[in-house]
Amino acid sequence: MRIAFISDIHANLEALEAVLEDIEQQQIDEIVCLGDIVGYGVNPNECVDLVRKQCPTTLLGNHDAAAVELLSTQHFNIHAKIAIEWTTQNLRKESKHFLTSLPLKATKEQLTLVHATPYEPNMWYYITSLEEAAFNFQFFDTPVCLVGHTHIPIIIVLDSEKELYVHQNTSIALDSIEGSRLLINVGSVGQPRDRNPKSCYGIFDSEQGLFSYRRVAYNIQKTQAKMKKCKMPEFLLSRLEDGR
Ligand code: ZN
């Protein structure tokens, strides 16, 4: 089975459409969405509709939760707060209903899936260091855990000697690291932050035991023009082309 993992779309329709088009050419059996469909961008309803149609497994992200008032925005920065207010006002009732129904966590084919962290996913903690990764390895039982949330693609390996390190490649074959466990961030479709503005997503091939990233270009100027029209903060526009 070949599963595509998308995350952190953030209402960026041009990015989502480009990624879905790429997925169509990759012999994918199923698409899983790890959350944050909305927030920042200005096409939340269109993105919710596409995800609802194409991703039988979809998880709740913190921006989704905030947009439907399941989470307060008190810990959000000012740009995120402005975007969430706009999103809450512009989401249709059916979109809100869908976001409200999403689970925090799922397991699939030996994979644990969560938006933020396997440890207390409803607290929306970030994994930004090897220490935080080491801690989180204790909170899933499967060989692999896939997350989103930081918008930074990374593969962290805990090997059979309990050694923890970052895998320096954009793909990883599970047989090459027997006895290891993996914590993988699949990156962001709609707002990449690893200095590469191209949309990022991951493919897991369970037969070949292979995980790999794909990067997809999309029409950033079109997204920015729409955001400008809706008076989104300038920083949210410029970060798209900078990939930060
Ligand atoms: Zn996000």
Side-chain angles (χ1 to χ4, degrees):
M1 188 165 186
R2 281 170 65 79
I3 311 173
F5 291 91
I6 62 175
S7 189
D8 297 275
I9 298 156
H10 288 292
N12 184 338
L13 182 62
E14 289 69 35
L16 178 59
E17 285 177 340
V19 163
L20 290 175
E21 222 168 88
D22 191 74
I23 287 174
E24 249 177 58
Q25 290 151 27
Q26 305 299 321
Q27 290 87 45
I28 295 299
D29 299 297
E30 193 179 325
I31 313 173
V32 169
C33 175
L34 299 181
D36 274 2
I37 306 169
V38 305
Y40 298 131
V42 294
N43 288 110
N45 294 300
E46 293 81 356
C47 290
V48 166
D49 285 349
L50 280 172
V51 168
R52 184 166 49 186
K53 270 189 213 123
Q54 304 212 28
C55 309
T57 302
T58 296
L59 303 181
L60 183 74
N62 54 320
H63 288 255
D64 305 322
V68 295
E69 291 164 274
L70 290 172
L71 175 69
S72 145
T73 56
Q74 61 171 329
H75 298 299
F76 281 45
N77 68 48
I78 184 68
H79 308 295
K81 237 179 234 179
I82 291 168
I84 287 298
E85 266 167 42
W86 184 94
T87 304
T88 305
Q89 282 165 19
N90 286 276
L91 270 177
R92 289 195 296 261
K93 215 169 121 192
E94 312 86 76
S95 304
K96 283 188 181 168
H97 189 78
F98 176 72
L99 294 176
T100 309
S101 74
L102 297 176
L104 282 163
K105 203 173 173 178
T107 47
K108 186 170 201 70
E109 295 240 342
Q110 299 291 298
L111 309 171
T112 297
L113 313 173
V114 66
H115 179 71
T117 54
Y119 171 70
E120 298 195 6
N122 60 321
M123 296 304 290
W124 312 109
Y125 296 124
Y126 290 87
I127 300 172
T128 54
S129 67
L130 282 181
E131 288 74 21
E132 284 156 352
F135 176 74
N136 273 282
F137 269 102
Q138 303 170 67
F139 296 93
F140 63 95
D141 311 318
T142 54
V144 181
C145 175
L146 297 168
V147 301
H149 201 37
T150 63
H151 299 206
I152 296 180
I154 190 168
I155 300 175
I156 299 168
V157 181
L158 179 66
D159 72 14
S160 48
E161 310 287 300
K162 303 280 172 230
E163 207 67 57
L164 196 68
Y165 62 92
V166 176
H167 180 73
Q168 303 294 346
N169 205 324
T170 54
S171 69
I172 188 163
L174 300 191
D175 347 344
S176 68
I177 45 150
E178 249 200 273
S180 300
R181 295 170 71 222
L182 301 177
L183 183 60
I184 299 175
N185 191 307
V186 303
S188 169
V189 168
Q191 195 195 79
R193 294 181 191 161
D194 61 337
R195 301 274 163 184
N196 177 352
K198 287 183 180 176
S199 293
C200 183
Y201 76 97
I203 297 176
F204 183 73
D205 187 318
S206 59
E207 271 131 59
Q208 289 189 21
L210 189 73
F211 176 87
S212 51
Y213 290 109
R214 284 193 65 81
R215 301 303 291 240
V216 183
Y218 71 95
N219 190 340
I220 294 178
Q221 289 75 26
K222 190 174 171 191
T223 306
Q224 289 172 322
K226 285 195 212 167
M227 290 170 80
K228 198 174 182 132
K229 232 176 168 176
C230 295
K231 299 189 170 61
M232 281 296 166
E234 175 55 37
F235 171 66
L236 295 183
L237 279 68
S238 64
R239 74 185 308 180
L240 292 179
E241 70 198 50
D242 300 335
R244 69 185 167 114

